[in-house]
Every structure is written in structure tokens, then in C-alpha cells.
mmCIF file of all heavy atoms in Angstrom:
data_model
loop_
_atom_site.group_PDB
_atom_site.id
_atom_site.type_symbol
_atom_site.label_atom_id
_atom_site.label_comp_id
_atom_site.label_asym_id
_atom_site.label_seq_id
_atom_site.Cartn_x
_atom_site.Cartn_y
_atom_site.Cartn_z
ATOM 1 N N ARG A 766 0.826 -1.170 -0.034
ATOM 2 C CA ARG A 766 -0.014 -0.041 0.000
ATOM 3 C C ARG A 766 0.867 1.253 0.000
ATOM 4 O O ARG A 766 0.535 2.229 -0.616
ATOM 5 C CB ARG A 766 -0.981 0.022 1.171
ATOM 6 C CG ARG A 766 -2.131 -0.986 1.017
ATOM 7 C CD ARG A 766 -3.019 -0.967 2.181
ATOM 8 N NE ARG A 766 -2.443 -1.809 3.163
ATOM 9 C CZ ARG A 766 -2.706 -1.830 4.446
ATOM 10 N NH1 ARG A 766 -3.613 -1.024 4.922
ATOM 11 N NH2 ARG A 766 -2.049 -2.677 5.265
ATOM 12 N N ALA A 767 1.986 1.225 0.679
ATOM 13 C CA ALA A 767 2.890 2.400 0.758
ATOM 14 C C ALA A 767 3.437 2.634 -0.684
ATOM 15 O O ALA A 767 3.533 3.808 -1.067
ATOM 16 C CB ALA A 767 3.972 2.216 1.724
ATOM 17 N N GLU A 768 3.836 1.616 -1.347
ATOM 18 C CA GLU A 768 4.369 1.794 -2.750
ATOM 19 C C GLU A 768 3.300 2.310 -3.672
ATOM 20 O O GLU A 768 3.527 3.143 -4.471
ATOM 21 C CB GLU A 768 4.979 0.507 -3.219
ATOM 22 C CG GLU A 768 6.251 0.122 -2.503
ATOM 23 C CD GLU A 768 6.811 -1.210 -2.827
ATOM 24 O OE1 GLU A 768 6.110 -1.979 -3.529
ATOM 25 O OE2 GLU A 768 7.915 -1.542 -2.337
ATOM 26 N N GLU A 769 2.113 1.748 -3.551
ATOM 27 C CA GLU A 769 0.988 2.314 -4.413
ATOM 28 C C GLU A 769 0.664 3.716 -4.057
ATOM 29 O O GLU A 769 0.441 4.568 -4.957
ATOM 30 C CB GLU A 769 -0.277 1.422 -4.146
ATOM 31 C CG GLU A 769 -0.097 0.041 -4.730
ATOM 32 C CD GLU A 769 -1.214 -0.923 -4.357
ATOM 33 O OE1 GLU A 769 -2.137 -0.491 -3.530
ATOM 34 O OE2 GLU A 769 -1.224 -2.050 -4.718
ATOM 35 N N ALA A 770 0.701 4.083 -2.732
ATOM 36 C CA ALA A 770 0.374 5.412 -2.376
ATOM 37 C C ALA A 770 1.473 6.437 -2.849
ATOM 38 O O ALA A 770 1.170 7.565 -3.185
ATOM 39 C CB ALA A 770 0.180 5.538 -0.861
ATOM 40 N N SER A 771 2.730 5.924 -2.965
ATOM 41 C CA SER A 771 3.814 6.764 -3.365
ATOM 42 C C SER A 771 3.603 7.222 -4.806
ATOM 43 O O SER A 771 4.108 8.257 -5.214
ATOM 44 C CB SER A 771 5.114 6.170 -3.233
ATOM 45 O OG SER A 771 5.331 5.141 -4.203
ATOM 46 N N ALA A 772 2.901 6.490 -5.547
ATOM 47 C CA ALA A 772 2.589 6.910 -7.015
ATOM 48 C C ALA A 772 1.631 8.028 -7.059
ATOM 49 O O ALA A 772 1.697 8.739 -8.027
ATOM 50 C CB ALA A 772 2.128 5.636 -7.745
ATOM 51 N N THR A 773 0.744 8.078 -6.087
ATOM 52 C CA THR A 773 -0.224 9.195 -6.062
ATOM 53 C C THR A 773 -0.072 10.251 -5.072
ATOM 54 O O THR A 773 -0.477 11.382 -5.277
ATOM 55 C CB THR A 773 -1.686 8.586 -5.904
ATOM 56 O OG1 THR A 773 -1.666 7.881 -4.661
ATOM 57 C CG2 THR A 773 -1.950 7.544 -7.081
ATOM 58 N N ALA A 774 0.573 9.990 -3.925
ATOM 59 C CA ALA A 774 0.717 10.977 -2.861
ATOM 60 C C ALA A 774 2.005 11.759 -3.130
ATOM 61 O O ALA A 774 2.993 11.304 -3.586
ATOM 62 C CB ALA A 774 0.868 10.258 -1.524
ATOM 63 N N SER A 775 1.862 13.006 -2.745
ATOM 64 C CA SER A 775 3.003 13.844 -2.927
ATOM 65 C C SER A 775 3.656 14.120 -1.516
ATOM 66 O O SER A 775 2.994 14.538 -0.610
ATOM 67 C CB SER A 775 2.568 15.265 -3.485
ATOM 68 O OG SER A 775 3.638 16.178 -3.478
ATOM 69 N N LEU A 776 4.937 13.835 -1.444
ATOM 70 C CA LEU A 776 5.672 14.018 -0.205
ATOM 71 C C LEU A 776 6.360 15.403 -0.221
ATOM 72 O O LEU A 776 7.096 15.633 -1.128
ATOM 73 C CB LEU A 776 6.685 12.982 -0.064
ATOM 74 C CG LEU A 776 7.641 12.987 1.123
ATOM 75 C CD1 LEU A 776 6.845 12.814 2.457
ATOM 76 C CD2 LEU A 776 8.669 11.877 1.058
ATOM 77 N N ARG A 777 6.015 16.199 0.739
ATOM 78 C CA ARG A 777 6.682 17.564 0.797
ATOM 79 C C ARG A 777 8.038 17.454 1.424
ATOM 80 O O ARG A 777 8.247 17.264 2.561
ATOM 81 C CB ARG A 777 5.784 18.498 1.692
ATOM 82 C CG ARG A 777 4.316 18.702 1.185
ATOM 83 C CD ARG A 777 4.321 19.469 -0.100
ATOM 84 N NE ARG A 777 4.993 20.762 -0.031
ATOM 85 C CZ ARG A 777 5.339 21.452 -1.065
ATOM 86 N NH1 ARG A 777 5.069 20.996 -2.223
ATOM 87 N NH2 ARG A 777 5.954 22.531 -0.969
ATOM 88 N N LEU A 778 9.080 17.593 0.501
ATOM 89 C CA LEU A 778 10.408 17.586 0.980
ATOM 90 C C LEU A 778 11.023 19.022 1.177
ATOM 91 O O LEU A 778 12.017 19.221 1.763
ATOM 92 C CB LEU A 778 11.270 16.818 -0.084
ATOM 93 C CG LEU A 778 10.971 15.380 -0.164
ATOM 94 C CD1 LEU A 778 11.851 14.728 -1.288
ATOM 95 C CD2 LEU A 778 11.242 14.609 1.144
ATOM 96 N N PHE A 779 10.312 19.947 0.509
ATOM 97 C CA PHE A 779 10.757 21.333 0.553
ATOM 98 C C PHE A 779 9.717 22.216 1.220
ATOM 99 O O PHE A 779 8.528 21.971 1.039
ATOM 100 C CB PHE A 779 11.033 21.892 -0.878
ATOM 101 C CG PHE A 779 12.083 21.155 -1.570
ATOM 102 C CD1 PHE A 779 11.708 20.161 -2.533
ATOM 103 C CD2 PHE A 779 13.452 21.443 -1.334
ATOM 104 C CE1 PHE A 779 12.719 19.463 -3.232
ATOM 105 C CE2 PHE A 779 14.389 20.634 -2.061
ATOM 106 C CZ PHE A 779 14.011 19.743 -2.967
ATOM 107 N N GLU A 780 10.172 23.200 1.956
ATOM 108 C CA GLU A 780 9.227 24.184 2.518
ATOM 109 C C GLU A 780 8.879 25.098 1.344
ATOM 110 O O GLU A 780 9.570 25.346 0.363
ATOM 111 C CB GLU A 780 9.890 25.027 3.588
ATOM 112 C CG GLU A 780 10.154 24.174 4.821
ATOM 113 C CD GLU A 780 8.888 23.565 5.441
ATOM 114 O OE1 GLU A 780 7.825 24.286 5.533
ATOM 115 O OE2 GLU A 780 8.963 22.458 5.803
ATOM 116 N N PRO A 781 7.623 25.727 1.340
ATOM 117 C CA PRO A 781 7.245 26.683 0.331
ATOM 118 C C PRO A 781 8.305 27.797 0.222
ATOM 119 O O PRO A 781 8.781 28.301 1.219
ATOM 120 C CB PRO A 781 5.894 27.221 0.746
ATOM 121 C CG PRO A 781 5.392 26.210 1.722
ATOM 122 C CD PRO A 781 6.560 25.491 2.313
ATOM 123 N N GLU A 782 8.654 28.195 -0.990
ATOM 124 C CA GLU A 782 9.639 29.262 -1.218
ATOM 125 C C GLU A 782 8.968 30.481 -1.687
ATOM 126 O O GLU A 782 7.954 30.499 -2.377
ATOM 127 C CB GLU A 782 10.643 28.751 -2.351
ATOM 128 C CG GLU A 782 11.410 27.549 -2.072
ATOM 129 C CD GLU A 782 12.545 27.912 -1.083
ATOM 130 O OE1 GLU A 782 12.960 29.048 -1.008
ATOM 131 O OE2 GLU A 782 13.000 26.969 -0.483
ATOM 132 N N ALA A 783 9.531 31.609 -1.277
ATOM 133 C CA ALA A 783 9.025 32.877 -1.709
ATOM 134 C C ALA A 783 9.334 33.182 -3.168
ATOM 135 O O ALA A 783 8.584 33.881 -3.873
ATOM 136 C CB ALA A 783 9.593 34.038 -0.794
ATOM 137 N N ASP A 784 10.477 32.667 -3.644
ATOM 138 C CA ASP A 784 10.919 32.777 -5.010
ATOM 139 C C ASP A 784 10.115 31.868 -5.902
ATOM 140 O O ASP A 784 10.185 30.621 -5.669
ATOM 141 C CB ASP A 784 12.402 32.498 -5.028
ATOM 142 C CG ASP A 784 12.956 32.618 -6.452
ATOM 143 O OD1 ASP A 784 12.197 33.073 -7.395
ATOM 144 O OD2 ASP A 784 14.181 32.319 -6.643
ATOM 145 N N PRO A 785 9.355 32.345 -6.861
ATOM 146 C CA PRO A 785 8.521 31.433 -7.697
ATOM 147 C C PRO A 785 9.402 30.457 -8.444
ATOM 148 O O PRO A 785 9.000 29.354 -8.675
ATOM 149 C CB PRO A 785 7.725 32.394 -8.610
ATOM 150 C CG PRO A 785 8.158 33.745 -8.295
ATOM 151 C CD PRO A 785 9.191 33.760 -7.116
ATOM 152 N N ASP A 786 10.543 30.829 -8.900
ATOM 153 C CA ASP A 786 11.421 29.917 -9.639
ATOM 154 C C ASP A 786 11.912 28.811 -8.750
ATOM 155 O O ASP A 786 11.890 27.608 -9.123
ATOM 156 C CB ASP A 786 12.650 30.618 -10.251
ATOM 157 C CG ASP A 786 12.242 31.571 -11.360
ATOM 158 O OD1 ASP A 786 11.229 31.303 -12.006
ATOM 159 O OD2 ASP A 786 12.948 32.483 -11.581
ATOM 160 N N ALA A 787 12.205 29.159 -7.490
ATOM 161 C CA ALA A 787 12.670 28.120 -6.556
ATOM 162 C C ALA A 787 11.466 27.163 -6.206
ATOM 163 O O ALA A 787 11.646 26.002 -6.068
ATOM 164 C CB ALA A 787 13.174 28.701 -5.252
ATOM 165 N N ALA A 788 10.291 27.731 -6.065
ATOM 166 C CA ALA A 788 9.118 26.906 -5.740
ATOM 167 C C ALA A 788 8.817 26.010 -6.925
ATOM 168 O O ALA A 788 8.495 24.829 -6.710
ATOM 169 C CB ALA A 788 7.929 27.822 -5.464
ATOM 170 N N GLU A 789 8.914 26.483 -8.134
ATOM 171 C CA GLU A 789 8.714 25.658 -9.286
ATOM 172 C C GLU A 789 9.758 24.517 -9.402
ATOM 173 O O GLU A 789 9.330 23.308 -9.640
ATOM 174 C CB GLU A 789 8.793 26.498 -10.600
ATOM 175 C CG GLU A 789 8.710 25.697 -11.839
ATOM 176 C CD GLU A 789 7.306 25.071 -12.141
ATOM 177 O OE1 GLU A 789 6.339 25.507 -11.569
ATOM 178 O OE2 GLU A 789 7.227 24.133 -12.863
ATOM 179 N N PHE A 790 10.996 24.882 -9.079
ATOM 180 C CA PHE A 790 12.059 23.875 -9.097
ATOM 181 C C PHE A 790 11.796 22.821 -8.004
ATOM 182 O O PHE A 790 11.873 21.574 -8.278
ATOM 183 C CB PHE A 790 13.439 24.487 -8.901
ATOM 184 C CG PHE A 790 14.582 23.490 -8.759
ATOM 185 C CD1 PHE A 790 15.096 22.896 -9.930
ATOM 186 C CD2 PHE A 790 15.104 23.202 -7.582
ATOM 187 C CE1 PHE A 790 16.067 21.941 -9.821
ATOM 188 C CE2 PHE A 790 16.115 22.307 -7.419
ATOM 189 C CZ PHE A 790 16.637 21.679 -8.552
ATOM 190 N N ALA A 791 11.485 23.259 -6.768
ATOM 191 C CA ALA A 791 11.279 22.323 -5.734
ATOM 192 C C ALA A 791 10.053 21.390 -6.029
ATOM 193 O O ALA A 791 10.113 20.199 -5.722
ATOM 194 C CB ALA A 791 10.993 23.117 -4.408
ATOM 195 N N GLY A 792 9.049 22.010 -6.647
ATOM 196 C CA GLY A 792 7.854 21.143 -6.971
ATOM 197 C C GLY A 792 8.273 20.038 -8.014
ATOM 198 O O GLY A 792 7.746 18.939 -7.992
ATOM 199 N N ARG A 793 9.076 20.485 -9.047
ATOM 200 C CA ARG A 793 9.463 19.409 -10.015
ATOM 201 C C ARG A 793 10.381 18.321 -9.474
ATOM 202 O O ARG A 793 10.270 17.180 -9.818
ATOM 203 C CB ARG A 793 10.153 20.165 -11.216
ATOM 204 C CG ARG A 793 9.230 20.953 -12.013
ATOM 205 C CD ARG A 793 9.954 21.639 -13.210
ATOM 206 N NE ARG A 793 9.015 22.474 -13.887
ATOM 207 C CZ ARG A 793 9.182 22.721 -15.221
ATOM 208 N NH1 ARG A 793 10.124 22.261 -15.871
ATOM 209 N NH2 ARG A 793 8.272 23.517 -15.835
ATOM 210 N N VAL A 794 11.304 18.764 -8.523
ATOM 211 C CA VAL A 794 12.086 17.802 -7.932
ATOM 212 C C VAL A 794 11.312 16.790 -7.057
ATOM 213 O O VAL A 794 11.479 15.562 -7.145
ATOM 214 C CB VAL A 794 13.216 18.439 -7.036
ATOM 215 C CG1 VAL A 794 13.950 17.440 -6.181
ATOM 216 C CG2 VAL A 794 14.211 19.154 -7.934
ATOM 217 N N GLU A 795 10.328 17.361 -6.286
ATOM 218 C CA GLU A 795 9.423 16.540 -5.444
ATOM 219 C C GLU A 795 8.659 15.556 -6.321
ATOM 220 O O GLU A 795 8.576 14.366 -6.047
ATOM 221 C CB GLU A 795 8.458 17.372 -4.701
ATOM 222 C CG GLU A 795 9.084 18.017 -3.480
ATOM 223 C CD GLU A 795 8.017 18.742 -2.704
ATOM 224 O OE1 GLU A 795 6.857 18.303 -2.528
ATOM 225 O OE2 GLU A 795 8.416 19.881 -2.222
ATOM 226 N N ALA A 796 8.142 16.063 -7.395
ATOM 227 C CA ALA A 796 7.363 15.188 -8.315
ATOM 228 C C ALA A 796 8.192 14.062 -8.939
ATOM 229 O O ALA A 796 7.749 12.939 -8.982
ATOM 230 C CB ALA A 796 6.700 16.054 -9.492
ATOM 231 N N ALA A 797 9.448 14.370 -9.286
ATOM 232 C CA ALA A 797 10.331 13.485 -9.863
ATOM 233 C C ALA A 797 10.681 12.385 -8.778
ATOM 234 O O ALA A 797 10.655 11.200 -9.129
ATOM 235 C CB ALA A 797 11.562 14.052 -10.387
ATOM 236 N N LEU A 798 11.018 12.818 -7.576
ATOM 237 C CA LEU A 798 11.340 11.931 -6.580
ATOM 238 C C LEU A 798 10.099 10.959 -6.188
ATOM 239 O O LEU A 798 10.383 9.818 -5.897
ATOM 240 C CB LEU A 798 11.805 12.648 -5.300
ATOM 241 C CG LEU A 798 13.213 13.162 -5.371
ATOM 242 C CD1 LEU A 798 13.526 14.039 -4.168
ATOM 243 C CD2 LEU A 798 14.235 12.091 -5.540
ATOM 244 N N ASN A 799 8.951 11.511 -6.207
ATOM 245 C CA ASN A 799 7.777 10.719 -5.865
ATOM 246 C C ASN A 799 7.431 9.655 -6.911
ATOM 247 O O ASN A 799 6.781 8.718 -6.593
ATOM 248 C CB ASN A 799 6.565 11.600 -5.590
ATOM 249 C CG ASN A 799 6.609 12.332 -4.264
ATOM 250 O OD1 ASN A 799 7.146 11.763 -3.298
ATOM 251 N ND2 ASN A 799 6.084 13.508 -4.203
ATOM 252 N N GLU A 800 7.949 9.810 -8.078
ATOM 253 C CA GLU A 800 7.851 8.802 -9.127
ATOM 254 C C GLU A 800 8.740 7.594 -8.999
ATOM 255 O O GLU A 800 8.548 6.602 -9.551
ATOM 256 C CB GLU A 800 7.981 9.442 -10.495
ATOM 257 C CG GLU A 800 6.885 10.389 -10.870
ATOM 258 C CD GLU A 800 7.067 11.020 -12.230
ATOM 259 O OE1 GLU A 800 7.854 10.523 -13.036
ATOM 260 O OE2 GLU A 800 6.365 12.006 -12.496
ATOM 261 N N LEU A 801 9.873 7.811 -8.168
ATOM 262 C CA LEU A 801 10.791 6.769 -8.023
ATOM 263 C C LEU A 801 10.281 5.669 -7.078
ATOM 264 O O LEU A 801 9.516 5.931 -6.222
ATOM 265 C CB LEU A 801 12.111 7.267 -7.367
ATOM 266 C CG LEU A 801 12.884 8.330 -8.252
ATOM 267 C CD1 LEU A 801 14.117 8.826 -7.367
ATOM 268 C CD2 LEU A 801 13.367 7.626 -9.461
ATOM 269 N N PRO A 802 10.724 4.448 -7.279
ATOM 270 C CA PRO A 802 10.458 3.337 -6.354
ATOM 271 C C PRO A 802 11.084 3.649 -5.005
ATOM 272 O O PRO A 802 12.003 4.421 -4.899
ATOM 273 C CB PRO A 802 11.127 2.091 -6.954
ATOM 274 C CG PRO A 802 11.385 2.388 -8.402
ATOM 275 C CD PRO A 802 11.487 3.955 -8.481
ATOM 276 N N THR A 803 10.516 3.145 -3.949
ATOM 277 C CA THR A 803 10.947 3.436 -2.600
ATOM 278 C C THR A 803 12.502 3.220 -2.414
ATOM 279 O O THR A 803 13.111 4.081 -1.788
ATOM 280 C CB THR A 803 10.168 2.589 -1.515
ATOM 281 O OG1 THR A 803 8.747 2.834 -1.690
ATOM 282 C CG2 THR A 803 10.540 2.882 -0.182
ATOM 283 N N GLU A 804 13.012 2.124 -2.967
ATOM 284 C CA GLU A 804 14.438 1.809 -2.829
ATOM 285 C C GLU A 804 15.308 2.920 -3.447
ATOM 286 O O GLU A 804 16.274 3.317 -2.763
ATOM 287 C CB GLU A 804 14.776 0.479 -3.457
ATOM 288 C CG GLU A 804 14.126 -0.682 -2.806
ATOM 289 C CD GLU A 804 12.701 -1.001 -3.284
ATOM 290 O OE1 GLU A 804 12.252 -0.415 -4.316
ATOM 291 O OE2 GLU A 804 11.954 -1.821 -2.621
#
């Protein structure tokens, strides 16, 4: 269930950024990491 949830749930690894470019970058990195298998 954790592996299935990782495909749909977003894990917040970064705090919201005031800089829109940094926020966009952080969002893309989070999305990419959340697509990876747990290992």
C-alpha cells in the first residue's frame, strides 16, 4: 500500500519558497522523486 500510495501521494520535501522559480524547481524535484520506487 505504501508503494501504491507513493505513486499518487506527494511528499513535501521542501518548504514553500518565496521565490517562484525556486518553488517551481522544488515542485518538479518533489514530483520526480515521488515517481521513483521506494528503494
Side-chain angles (χ1 to χ4, degrees):
R766 284 180 279 163
E768 289 173 354
E769 291 170 357
S771 71
T773 58
S775 176
L776 176 64
R777 296 295 302 163
L778 296 175
F779 300 99
E780 292 300 319
E782 296 284 339
D784 178 6
D786 291 333
E789 175 69 20
F790 176 75
R793 288 182 184 206
V794 170
E795 280 183 42
L798 285 173
N799 284 328
E800 291 179 15
L801 294 175
T803 302
E804 294 84 11

